[in-house]
Amino acid sequence: MNEKYVAQDIEKKWQEYWQEHNTFKTEYDESKEKYYVLEMFPYPSGNLHMGHVRNYSIGDVVARFKKMKGFNVLHPMGWDAFGMPAENAAIKHGIAPKNWTLDNIENMKLQQKSLGLSYDWDREVATCKEDYYKWTQWLFQQFYKKGLAYKKEAKVNWCEHCHTVLANEQVIDGLCWRCDNKVEKKDLSQWFLRITDYADRLLDDLDTLDHWPSRVKLMQKNWIGRSEGTQFSFEVPEINERVAVYTTRVDTVYGVSYIVLAPEHPFTERLISGKENEAELRAFVDRMRNMSDIDRTSTDAEKEGMFTGAYAKNPMSGEDVPIWIANYVLVDYGTGAVMGSPAHDERDWEFAKKYNLPIKPVVSHEGEEYSLDAWQTSYHDDGITVNSGKFDGLTSEETRVAITKRFEEQGIGEGKTNFRLRDWLISRQRYWGVPIPVCYCEHCGEQLIPEDQLPVCLPEDVNFVAGAISPLATSESFLNTTCPKCGGPARRETDTMDTFIDSSWYFLRYTDARNDKEAFNKKIADYWMNVDQYIGGIEHAILHLLYSRFFVKVLHDLGLVEANEPFKGLLTQGMVLKEGSKMSKSKGNVVSPEEIVNTYGADTARLFILFAAPVDRDLDWSDQGVEGSYRFLGRVWRIIDAYQQAAAKNVTGDLTKEETALRRELHRVIKKVTEDLDNNFNFNTAISAVMELVNAMYQHKDKNESVNANLANELTRNLVLLLAPFTPHITEELWHELGQTDSVHAQQWPVYEEAALVVDEIELAVQVNGKVRDKIVVATSATKEEIEEQAFASDRVKEFTDGKTVAKVIIIPGKICNIVVK
């Protein structure tokens, strides 16, 4: 064994060994209990960053630990390979997106292998390859046949910088999620998936996800945004129509002093037509339509409105209420119209105050005078109904029930559940994505491409032009096809799918990745699903995680998989920071994983990143911490060598008192590490416990000339096993140095012995009149009399008790002996 630990000498050797011996290959085996651990697959940008290293190291510890615990572990990796950066690189550098992407994949794969990650590379997928996106297209077709995929004209979120539309979930504070450019509204014909059909289930089933962070579940709950209320209509005599509104506070209907339509509402045009100020109204409507939804609905945005000159009838009071147009009402949220009850709603109150509209209190709080100045603290809450005719004196809840019932009897309203969630817009006007497998025929209309013609492949003869048109539209070979129904000429759909479609089912493809007959075999998928532990960033809480849950529910309903949820457990790891900031090239604070691996080795990089902070907290990078981790591995290397030499001396017999204590420490650490890893992620405290064991081994070596051979073998063997999930290369090397011939990662996890943890003796503080004067070691079975006898025999205690009267002796078992003297 080399005297010095040199990571570079051993890491490549063992990576090649694992590859040659298929150490991490996983087979479907119903006789074994499975465990599926998965880190979110990366976009192949070309290089790993430290966030990747942290994510993958966490997953690798879990995978290796579970395998040693006897589970049949599935731990795959692949590439979320479609997307805009590849297309932008093609435009900028004249490189085909496919070549750019595949080159990046190869480089990042080498980097992942250099970290010693235990992936079954036979299951690797890349979403941009035809053998994957063929099945993405097939799944789209199943959604279409079930009525869950449809195309419609819609006002959509448009990013001019990215030249594509965005789903609502991809607009963050009015900006594009990818480039931070301002998002505009544009009318386009687009494809959608009916995620709203699953809103109730997506919301209710959050309660079944016991191993998800509550923060993520709350974010999804708020995004889905279910509310219970009443939908009813106001009569608009001027145009002989009824305008529908939805409210959760129908108990305030007698306080309605106006209603507001969205500028895009279908009645708006008819109401402003012919008015004296029609030109002014039209200019206002046009200006409002061109504002972003975020700007219009932000709590900070100024509320703007104009009176149409028309009135509606309040269905309860019979009063005429003015109809306004305002920026804060959106046509595709709710009914596109809202009632204004300003005494009991903050937004309505601001609008009414600005435009001098009546404010009518209709909910009272017992013993309080209604005050416009104080209303914000209480008057938007439930109370007792007033100024509301026959409903006076009822509670708000009773009033809601009674008024809703009255509307139902009149046939003008009903109780209704509403959602904030909107259907998922999946059309993208980009090239580097999955072509939507649809064509259009003048005679037969919209048609699915026949399944036996899948995949619809991306052409290479395209021009990357800017505008609201996909580059696919520039390829005549792609555009022109034959109608599958009549055989006549047809043109293909030129939009591609949102890349979040690709990542909404990849975890299912991993279960049966080489299947060329179906997306995955149900029996095999049912064995592996759901993912037991999923690991990734909090930034995917709504987008990817919500979409994946939707996909699995649809596939469950289609009979393709038993699972109803994709991910049983979810861990959202913290970021890796440098000097308190997220690493970024612009800040010049990026630490390269390759540089760390080349200097210190992958085991050091892994150990530091797992030890430096709890996995769900942000981690601040420390060069000193990295060096400390490297030094620790050197200490492990040397102590294994020292104890191996001690074992070779073959000193046997009963353990000494010190050896018994050292063995007790070993089994304490085995218990601690096992508890920290068993469905927990307390990696930092587990590593700390192993460090304590190593310290104890050094202390024993420094104080004793020899060590029992059996104990030395037990210590070295178990120390290597405990470290194996964290630092796979050094432990593999040390395992073979200990004379083993198979892989350390194929061994059973060590089990602590309860008997070894039993303490025969304990240290007891001896006080005289409340002050500690000595410490004695007594047998754990010692009686009170024996403890007293040993305490009084202490020379230090005698100094303070001789010649004095002992009033009493207080013994707290296992803690203290207090002698009171006079």
Side-chain angles (χ1 to χ4, degrees):
M1 181 170 175
N2 291 337
E3 285 187 21
K4 190 177 179 186
Y5 164 59
V6 182
Q8 290 76 6
D9 290 349
I10 62 173
E11 292 190 345
K12 191 171 182 187
K13 163 185 162 184
W14 289 113
Q15 288 160 16
E16 289 172 354
Y17 172 92
W18 297 330
Q19 188 164 325
E20 282 174 30
H21 290 78
N22 288 318
T23 304
F24 308 118
K25 187 169 175 59
T26 304
E27 301 288 356
Y28 167 77
D29 186 350
E30 285 190 336
S31 69
K32 293 182 180 178
E33 187 176 357
K34 68 90 184 181
Y35 193 90
Y36 187 174
V37 57
L38 183 64
E39 304 98 67
M40 293 180 185
F41 64 169
Y43 177 77
S45 60
N47 287 290
L48 296 185
H49 55 67
M50 279 301 171
H52 289 128
V53 175
R54 192 179 197 192
N55 187 4
Y56 306 149
S57 298
I58 292 167
D60 202 48
V61 171
V62 175
R64 291 177 184 277
F65 173 72
K66 289 295 182 180
K67 185 175 181 181
M68 294 175 79
K69 290 279 281 185
F71 288 90
N72 188 22
V73 174
L74 178 59
H75 186 213
M77 179 46 64
W79 312 95
D80 192 9
F82 273 133
M84 206 176 58
E87 194 165 334
N88 287 344
I91 295 168
K92 187 174 180 180
H93 302 296
I95 306 167
K98 182 177 181 179
N99 296 341
W100 186 85
T101 301
L102 296 181
D103 287 349
N104 286 351
I105 285 173
E106 284 311 303
N107 190 52
M108 290 177 74
K109 189 173 175 180
L110 288 173
Q111 291 177 323
Q112 286 181 324
K113 287 186 172 182
S114 76
L115 290 168
L117 302 167
S118 60
Y119 296 133
D120 179 356
W121 284 108
D122 288 348
R123 295 174 182 269
E124 179 186 10
V125 303
T127 59
C128 67
K129 291 187 176 179
E130 292 170 11
D131 64 351
Y132 185 89
Y133 74 72
K134 169 184 179 177
W135 300 111
T136 304
Q137 292 174 341
W138 183 84
L139 289 171
F140 169 87
Q141 294 191 342
Q142 309 319 303
F143 277 65
Y144 184 93
K145 292 171 186 175
K146 192 173 166 62
L148 294 171
Y150 67 97
K151 194 174 191 183
K152 71 169 183 179
E153 280 280 338
K155 187 174 280 293
V156 296
N157 305 305
W158 177 260
C159 175
E160 183 60 31
H161 182 265
C162 297
H163 297 297
T164 193
V165 299
L166 304 169
N168 290 333
E169 291 83 357
Q170 293 167 315
V171 181
I172 313 298
D173 296 330
L175 305 178
C176 172
W177 72 293
R178 190 180 288 282
C179 72
D180 287 337
N181 194 56
K182 192 173 178 64
V183 172
E184 306 165 4
K185 284 292 184 180
K186 188 184 281 273
D187 289 309
L188 289 174
S189 182
Q190 301 288 283
W191 284 95
F192 292 82
L193 296 185
R194 294 188 197 277
I195 193 172
T196 53
D197 282 11
Y198 284 76
D200 274 315
R201 283 168 62 183
L202 287 166
L203 187 62
D204 294 341
D205 288 352
L206 286 170
D207 292 337
T208 69
L209 301 176
D210 297 332
H211 302 289
W212 277 44
S214 55
R215 175 186 173 196
V216 173
K217 292 196 284 187
L218 181 62
M219 289 167 75
Q220 288 208 3
K221 181 179 180 181
N222 290 340
W223 186 262
I224 296 165
R226 181 165 64 193
S227 63
E228 305 293 334
T230 306
Q231 185 163 309
F232 67 100
S233 59
F234 288 77
E235 184 185 352
V236 186
E238 183 177 311
I239 56 173
N240 197 27
E241 296 279 7
R242 303 193 71 91
V243 62
V245 299
Y246 170 83
T247 180
T248 59
R249 293 297 308 272
V250 77
D251 54 309
T252 67
V253 67
Y254 279 88
V256 172
S257 57
Y258 63 96
I259 64 172
V260 178
L261 303 185
E264 304 88 352
H265 194 285
F267 292 170
T268 299
E269 172 65 27
R270 294 164 63 185
L271 289 172
I272 66 176
S273 183
K275 294 294 193 295
E276 283 186 17
N277 60 340
E278 180 180 345
E280 188 182 356
L281 284 164
R282 285 192 187 284
F284 176 78
V285 167
D286 289 343
R287 185 163 62 85
M288 293 301 105
R289 282 178 169 172
N290 287 322
M291 288 177 68
S292 75
D293 289 358
I294 298 294
D295 288 342
R296 283 168 59 174
T297 59
S298 167
T299 53
D300 300 328
E302 183 184 356
K303 308 296 180 279
E304 291 189 76
M306 281 193 74
F307 176 41
T308 64
Y311 291 84
K313 288 276 184 192
N314 186 317
M316 294 308 296
S317 68
E319 294 176 346
D320 286 337
V321 294
I323 302 174
W324 284 65
I325 306 164
N327 59 345
Y328 66 85
V329 183
L330 305 178
V331 72
D332 54 355
Y333 275 70
T335 65
V338 298
M339 68 181 209
S341 188
H344 307 288
D345 180 272
E346 185 172 1
R347 182 187 60 188
D348 296 349
W349 184 83
E350 288 176 4
F351 194 79
K353 287 287 284 182
K354 179 173 181 177
Y355 293 107
N356 200 27
L357 294 163
I359 298 173
K360 309 173 185 177
V362 291
V363 176
S364 170
H365 294 79
E366 199 171 344
E368 294 181 18
E369 276 294 318
Y370 185 89
S371 159
L372 285 180
D373 293 329
W375 81 272
Q376 287 177 318
T377 60
S378 62
Y379 288 100
H380 52 290
D381 295 334
D382 283 1
I384 303 299
T385 304
V386 296
N387 302 325
S388 299
K390 62 184 291 184
F391 302 101
D392 283 0
L394 299 179
T395 65
S396 292
E397 180 57 32
E398 290 168 340
T399 305
R400 286 194 284 272
V401 172
I403 291 179
T404 301
K405 185 179 179 184
R406 172 69 64 85
F407 286 155
E408 288 170 349
E409 290 168 352
Q410 292 175 340
I412 62 168
E414 60 182 349
K416 190 171 182 181
T417 302
N418 253 15
F419 294 90
R420 179 176 182 263
L421 182 69
R422 290 291 169 263
D423 278 346
W424 178 7
L425 190 161
I426 65 162
S427 287
R428 297 294 180 270
Q429 293 67 45
R430 302 300 303 216
Y431 165 76
W432 193 234
V434 180
I436 295 174
V438 170
C439 66
Y440 304 94
C441 171
E442 282 188 17
H443 305 291
C444 308
E446 191 176 277
Q447 297 291 318
L448 289 179
I449 301 297
E451 287 184 13
D452 61 4
Q453 293 180 25
L454 298 181
V456 175
C457 297
L458 283 169
E460 296 188 6
D461 57 335
V462 296
N463 291 319
F464 296 104
V465 294
I469 183 173
S470 168
L472 291 180
T474 68
S475 169
E476 290 296 323
S477 64
F478 176 85
L479 197 59
N480 299 311
T481 188
T482 301
C483 173
K485 189 172 182 181
C486 72
R491 63 176 183 82
R492 293 189 193 278
E493 172 61 69
T494 58
D495 284 353
T496 54
M497 295 186 212
D498 182 3
T499 55
F500 280 101
I501 297 275
D502 310 330
S503 57
S504 292
W505 75 280
Y506 78 108
F507 42 87
L508 283 159
R509 183 64 177 173
Y510 280 146
T511 67
D512 194 17
R514 303 281 79 89
N515 192 334
D516 61 356
K517 301 289 190 294
E518 52 192 339
F520 49 86
N521 178 273
K522 182 179 186 298
K523 185 179 179 183
I524 295 174
D526 286 345
Y527 168 70
W528 289 114
M529 288 294 291
N530 23 29
V531 175
D532 294 278
Q533 189 59 58
Y534 199 37
I535 304 161
I538 190 75
E539 66 272 15
H540 296 293
I542 292 170
L543 287 159
H544 165 58
L545 291 171
L546 185 65
Y547 293 153
S548 297
R549 295 183 61 224
F550 166 53
F551 247 69
V552 168
K553 290 182 187 304
V554 174
L555 300 187
H556 170 85
D557 291 353
L558 289 168
L560 296 173
V561 69
E562 261 331 288
N564 186 48
E565 284 283 343
F567 314 119
K568 180 181 176 183
L570 173 68
L571 171 69
T572 52
Q573 85 276 0
M575 292 191 299
V576 180
L577 311 175
K578 182 82 187 285
E579 295 155 359
S581 299
K582 184 178 178 179
M583 290 187 185
S584 71
K585 290 178 183 176
S586 61
K587 291 177 183 170
N589 65 346
V590 172
V591 176
S592 159
E594 276 187 309
E595 185 183 325
I596 297 299
V597 170
N598 290 339
T599 305
Y600 297 101
D603 285 341
T604 293
R606 291 168 57 122
L607 188 71
F608 165 74
I609 217 157
L610 295 167
F611 175 62
V615 293
D616 58 347
R617 307 268 180 85
D618 290 345
L619 177 157
D620 212 337
W621 186 265
S622 162
D623 294 335
Q624 293 79 11
V626 174
E627 290 167 6
S629 295
Y630 182 71
R631 284 196 302 272
F632 170 72
L633 291 180
R635 293 188 50 160
V636 169
W637 184 270
R638 294 188 297 277
I639 201 66
I640 293 289
D641 183 43
Y643 273 69
Q644 193 180 6
Q645 290 180 32
K649 294 177 182 176
N650 209 23
V651 177
T652 56
D654 292 340
L655 299 185
T656 65
K657 190 173 174 181
E658 290 85 357
E659 288 171 341
T660 300
L662 182 56
R663 187 168 188 267
R664 186 184 308 121
E665 175 67 358
L666 168 65
H667 285 268
R668 179 194 73 82
V669 171
I670 293 173
K671 182 181 182 185
K672 169 66 174 166
V673 175
T674 304
E675 289 171 349
D676 281 347
L677 298 190
D678 224 344
N679 300 318
N680 293 304
F681 301 94
N682 301 325
F683 299 160
N684 57 326
T685 56
I687 293 168
S688 180
V690 176
M691 290 176 171
E692 289 166 4
L693 174 62
V694 170
N695 287 340
M697 290 172 70
Y698 268 99
Q699 287 167 9
H700 186 276
K701 178 181 78 72
D702 293 343
K703 291 179 182 176
N704 298 275
E705 291 183 4
S706 65
V707 62
N708 182 286
N710 293 328
L711 176 59
N713 286 327
E714 185 182 10
L715 282 161
T716 53
R717 175 185 170 86
N718 283 292
L719 173 57
V720 171
L721 291 172
L722 289 173
L723 273 175
F726 303 100
T727 54
H729 307 90
I730 188 175
T731 50
E732 191 76 278
E733 179 75 11
L734 291 171
W735 185 249
H736 285 73
E737 285 290 343
L738 292 174
Q740 307 297 326
T741 55
D742 52 355
S743 173
V744 68
H745 305 294
Q747 306 309 305
Q748 289 188 341
W749 184 255
V751 178
Y752 68 90
E753 292 178 16
E754 285 285 358
L757 296 174
V758 174
V759 179
D760 296 328
E761 296 179 329
I762 54 170
E763 190 176 67
L764 212 62
V766 181
Q767 293 180 339
V768 179
N769 289 348
K771 291 187 177 180
V772 175
R773 300 303 183 184
D774 200 3
K775 291 180 180 178
I776 58 175
V777 176
V778 299
T780 52
S781 59
T783 63
K784 182 179 179 183
E785 290 75 18
E786 289 170 335
I787 292 172
E788 283 188 32
E789 182 182 346
Q790 199 168 332
F792 282 112
S794 160
D795 291 337
R796 287 279 297 136
V797 172
K798 284 178 182 178
E799 289 180 31
F800 298 96
T801 57
D802 282 355
K804 296 181 180 176
T805 303
V806 176
K808 59 182 173 180
V809 179
I810 303 164
I811 294 175
I812 301 173
K815 291 186 178 179
I816 205 161
C817 170
N818 187 20
I819 301 168
V820 180
V821 297
K822 294 181 179 176

